[in-house]
Amino acid sequence: MENIVRTIRVYYPVSDEALAALTHGFEKQVFPAKTLIIRAGQFDRQVHFIEKGMTRSYTLHDGKEITTWFSMEGDVACGSWDLYRNKAGFEYVETLEETLVYSISIETLNELYKSDIDIANWMRVLQQENFLRLQDIHISRLNLSAYERYEKLMSECPALFHRVTLGHIASFLGITQQSLSRIRAKGYFLT
């Protein structure tokens, strides 16, 4: 669980004891590529910590998949409504490659928040960071051109471009795949 532990401690200096309490509730799972691990409209009570692999979160709009998030090694994947509202969510989470996760039930996680201040503080900081990341994405969509959004994503997440299809990247950027191809054809590449 090297990637998971490293990422947890990037956000908050969780004690060894707290980490042991958290990982005690983990169940190891391996999902093949293109597996839906969370489905819209279906109640899911698991939080998945990614040790190896990658997922894509998306919603459907008029039958079209709209990518909303990518999660990779060290990240957490879950349904936000399931986690925060105790309701079946609106999003899908799909593995993009074979993905090794350690899953924990939301109920177990909630109990840990009550009994361990390190776990509660770590999750608070993690959620703050995710909120700020989502806010940045929203503001970028409102204020940056398609090229500027592409350039920003390339500089912030260069690994995505080696692991994710251009269609998924275009969807995440809020542009068509044809627009992304035109941006790339004009030589807008970062090295």
Side-chain angles (χ1 to χ4, degrees), residues 137-172:
I137 291 167
H138 179 70
I139 291 169
S140 292
R141 285 234 178 128
L142 294 173
N143 294 312
L144 300 179
S145 69
Y147 167 69
E148 290 168 326
R149 292 192 307 274
Y150 169 77
E151 185 178 56
K152 184 174 179 3
L153 185 63
M154 283 280 291
S155 67
E156 292 176 355
C157 304
L160 282 181
F161 292 84
H162 301 289
R163 298 173 74 180
V164 177
T165 68
L166 291 179
H168 293 332
I169 290 171
S171 173
F172 181 73

Side-chain angles (χ1 to χ4, degrees), residues 14-26:
V14 175
S15 69
D16 290 341
E17 295 78 19
L19 201 53
L22 175 67
T23 59
H24 178 73
F26 280 178

